[in-house]
CSV table of all heavy atoms in Angstrom, one decimal:
chain,number,residue,atom,x,y,z
B,24,TYR,N,-4.4,22.7,-2.1
B,24,TYR,CA,-3.3,21.8,-2.1
B,24,TYR,C,-3.7,20.4,-1.7
B,24,TYR,O,-3.3,19.4,-2.3
B,24,TYR,CB,-2.2,22.3,-1.2
B,24,TYR,CG,-0.9,21.5,-1.3
B,24,TYR,CD1,0.0,21.8,-2.4
B,24,TYR,CD2,-0.6,20.5,-0.5
B,24,TYR,CE1,1.1,21.0,-2.5
B,24,TYR,CE2,0.6,19.7,-0.6
B,24,TYR,CZ,1.4,20.0,-1.7
B,24,TYR,OH,2.6,19.3,-1.8
B,32,GLY,N,-4.4,11.0,-5.5
B,32,GLY,CA,-4.5,9.7,-4.8
B,32,GLY,C,-5.6,8.8,-5.3
B,32,GLY,O,-5.5,7.6,-5.5
B,61,ASP,N,-6.6,-29.1,5.6
B,61,ASP,CA,-7.6,-30.1,5.2
B,61,ASP,C,-9.0,-29.6,5.3
B,61,ASP,O,-9.9,-30.4,5.1
B,61,ASP,CB,-7.4,-31.3,6.1
B,61,ASP,CG,-7.3,-30.9,7.6
B,61,ASP,OD1,-7.7,-29.8,7.9
B,61,ASP,OD2,-6.7,-31.7,8.3
B,74,ASP,N,-4.4,-31.0,-9.5
B,74,ASP,CA,-3.5,-31.1,-8.3
B,74,ASP,C,-2.9,-29.7,-8.1
B,74,ASP,O,-3.2,-28.7,-8.8
B,74,ASP,CB,-2.4,-32.1,-8.6
B,74,ASP,CG,-1.5,-31.7,-9.7
B,74,ASP,OD1,-1.2,-30.5,-9.9
B,74,ASP,OD2,-1.2,-32.6,-10.6
B,79,HIS,N,-1.2,-22.0,-14.4
B,79,HIS,CA,-2.4,-21.2,-14.5
B,79,HIS,C,-3.1,-21.6,-15.8
B,79,HIS,O,-4.3,-21.7,-15.8
B,79,HIS,CB,-2.1,-19.7,-14.5
B,79,HIS,CG,-1.6,-19.3,-13.1
B,79,HIS,ND1,-2.5,-19.0,-12.1
B,79,HIS,CD2,-0.4,-19.1,-12.7
B,79,HIS,CE1,-1.8,-18.7,-11.0
B,79,HIS,NE2,-0.5,-18.7,-11.3
B,116,GLY,N,-22.6,-4.3,2.3
B,116,GLY,CA,-23.0,-5.4,1.4
B,116,GLY,C,-22.4,-5.3,0.0
B,116,GLY,O,-23.0,-5.8,-0.9
B,122,GLY,N,-15.3,-3.7,-2.6
B,122,GLY,CA,-14.6,-3.5,-1.4
B,122,GLY,C,-13.1,-3.2,-1.7
B,122,GLY,O,-12.6,-2.3,-1.1
B,129,VAL,N,-9.2,4.7,-0.8
B,129,VAL,CA,-8.9,5.3,0.5
B,129,VAL,C,-7.4,5.2,0.7
B,129,VAL,O,-6.8,6.2,1.1
B,129,VAL,CB,-9.6,4.5,1.6
B,129,VAL,CG1,-9.1,5.0,3.0
B,129,VAL,CG2,-11.1,4.7,1.5
B,131,GLY,N,-5.0,5.0,-1.6
B,131,GLY,CA,-4.4,6.0,-2.5
B,131,GLY,C,-4.5,7.4,-2.0
B,131,GLY,O,-3.5,8.1,-2.0
B,145,THR,N,8.9,19.4,4.6
B,145,THR,CA,10.3,19.6,4.3
B,145,THR,C,10.6,20.7,3.3
B,145,THR,O,11.7,21.0,3.1
B,145,THR,CB,10.9,18.3,3.7
B,145,THR,OG1,10.3,18.0,2.4
B,145,THR,CG2,10.6,17.1,4.6
B,178,PRO,N,-2.7,-15.1,1.8
B,178,PRO,CA,-3.6,-15.8,2.8
B,178,PRO,C,-3.0,-17.2,3.0
B,178,PRO,O,-2.7,-17.9,2.0
B,178,PRO,CB,-4.9,-15.8,2.1
B,178,PRO,CG,-4.9,-14.7,1.1
B,178,PRO,CD,-3.5,-14.6,0.7
B,184,GLU,N,3.0,-13.0,15.6
B,184,GLU,CA,2.0,-12.2,16.2
B,184,GLU,C,1.7,-11.0,15.4
B,184,GLU,O,2.6,-10.2,15.1
B,184,GLU,CB,2.4,-11.9,17.6
B,184,GLU,CG,1.5,-11.0,18.4
B,184,GLU,CD,0.2,-11.7,18.7
B,184,GLU,OE1,0.1,-12.9,18.8
B,184,GLU,OE2,-0.8,-11.0,18.7
B,192,TRP,N,6.4,-3.1,11.3
B,192,TRP,CA,6.2,-2.5,10.0
B,192,TRP,C,6.1,-1.0,10.1
B,192,TRP,O,6.7,-0.3,9.3
B,192,TRP,CB,4.9,-3.1,9.4
B,192,TRP,CG,4.6,-2.8,8.0
B,192,TRP,CD1,5.1,-3.4,6.9
B,192,TRP,CD2,3.8,-1.7,7.5
B,192,TRP,NE1,4.6,-2.8,5.8
B,192,TRP,CE2,3.8,-1.8,6.1
B,192,TRP,CE3,3.1,-0.7,8.1
B,192,TRP,CZ2,3.2,-0.8,5.3
B,192,TRP,CZ3,2.4,0.2,7.4
B,192,TRP,CH2,2.4,0.1,6.0
B,193,ILE,N,5.3,-0.5,11.0
B,193,ILE,CA,5.1,1.0,11.1
B,193,ILE,C,6.4,1.6,11.4
B,193,ILE,O,6.8,2.6,10.8
B,193,ILE,CB,4.1,1.3,12.2
B,193,ILE,CG1,2.7,0.8,11.7
B,193,ILE,CG2,4.0,2.8,12.5
B,193,ILE,CD1,1.6,0.9,12.8
B,207,ILE,N,18.7,11.6,0.9
B,207,ILE,CA,18.5,12.2,-0.4
B,207,ILE,C,18.4,13.7,-0.4
B,207,ILE,O,19.0,14.4,-1.3
B,207,ILE,CB,17.2,11.6,-1.1
B,207,ILE,CG1,17.3,10.1,-1.2
B,207,ILE,CG2,17.0,12.3,-2.4
B,207,ILE,CD1,16.0,9.5,-1.6
B,215,LYS,N,23.9,12.1,5.7
B,215,LYS,CA,23.9,10.8,4.8
B,215,LYS,C,24.2,9.6,5.7
B,215,LYS,O,23.5,8.6,5.6
B,215,LYS,CB,25.0,10.9,3.8
B,215,LYS,CG,25.0,12.2,2.9
B,215,LYS,CD,24.0,12.1,1.8
B,215,LYS,CE,24.1,13.4,0.9
B,215,LYS,NZ,22.8,13.7,0.3
B,242,ALA,N,5.1,-22.8,-2.6
B,242,ALA,CA,6.2,-21.8,-2.6
B,242,ALA,C,6.2,-21.0,-3.9
B,242,ALA,O,6.4,-19.8,-3.9
B,242,ALA,CB,7.5,-22.4,-2.4
B,245,GLY,N,3.9,-18.1,-3.6
B,245,GLY,CA,4.4,-17.1,-2.8
B,245,GLY,C,5.4,-16.2,-3.5
B,245,GLY,O,5.4,-15.0,-3.4
B,254,ALA,N,5.8,-5.2,-7.6
B,254,ALA,CA,5.7,-4.5,-8.9
B,254,ALA,C,4.5,-3.6,-9.0
B,254,ALA,O,4.6,-2.5,-9.5
B,254,ALA,CB,5.7,-5.6,-10.0
B,256,THR,N,2.8,-2.3,-6.5
B,256,THR,CA,2.9,-1.1,-5.7
B,256,THR,C,3.9,-0.1,-6.2
B,256,THR,O,3.7,1.1,-6.1
B,256,THR,CB,3.3,-1.5,-4.2
B,256,THR,OG1,4.4,-2.4,-4.3
B,256,THR,CG2,2.2,-2.1,-3.5
B,260,TRP,N,3.0,3.8,-6.9
B,260,TRP,CA,3.8,5.0,-6.4
B,260,TRP,C,4.3,5.9,-7.5
B,260,TRP,O,4.4,7.1,-7.3
B,260,TRP,CB,4.9,4.5,-5.5
B,260,TRP,CG,4.4,4.2,-4.1
B,260,TRP,CD1,4.1,3.0,-3.6
B,260,TRP,CD2,4.2,5.2,-3.0
B,260,TRP,NE1,3.7,3.1,-2.3
B,260,TRP,CE2,3.7,4.4,-1.9
B,260,TRP,CE3,4.3,6.5,-2.9
B,260,TRP,CZ2,3.4,5.0,-0.7
B,260,TRP,CZ3,4.0,7.2,-1.7
B,260,TRP,CH2,3.5,6.4,-0.6
B,262,VAL,N,2.9,6.3,-10.5
B,262,VAL,CA,1.7,7.0,-10.9
B,262,VAL,C,1.3,8.1,-9.9
B,262,VAL,O,1.0,9.2,-10.3
B,262,VAL,CB,0.5,6.1,-11.1
B,262,VAL,CG1,-0.8,6.8,-11.4
B,262,VAL,CG2,0.8,5.1,-12.3
B,268,GLY,N,2.6,15.5,-8.9
B,268,GLY,CA,3.4,16.6,-9.5
B,268,GLY,C,2.6,17.4,-10.5
B,268,GLY,O,2.6,18.6,-10.6
B,271,ASN,N,-0.1,19.4,-8.7
B,271,ASN,CA,0.6,20.6,-8.1
B,271,ASN,C,0.9,21.7,-9.1
B,271,ASN,O,0.7,22.9,-8.8
B,271,ASN,CB,1.9,20.2,-7.4
B,271,ASN,CG,1.6,19.4,-6.1
B,271,ASN,OD1,0.5,19.5,-5.6
B,271,ASN,ND2,2.6,18.7,-5.6
B,276,VAL,N,1.1,25.3,-7.1
B,276,VAL,CA,1.6,25.4,-5.8
B,276,VAL,C,3.1,25.1,-5.7
B,276,VAL,O,3.8,25.5,-4.8
B,276,VAL,CB,0.8,24.3,-4.9
B,276,VAL,CG1,1.4,22.9,-5.1
B,276,VAL,CG2,0.9,24.7,-3.4
Side-chain angles (χ1 to χ4, degrees):
Chain B
Y24 189 81
D61 45 22
D74 61 45
H79 292 278
V129 172
T145 65
E184 175 65 33
W192 188 86
I193 293 172
I207 299 171
K215 310 273 183 211
T256 46
W260 277 97
V262 171
N271 286 344
V276 81

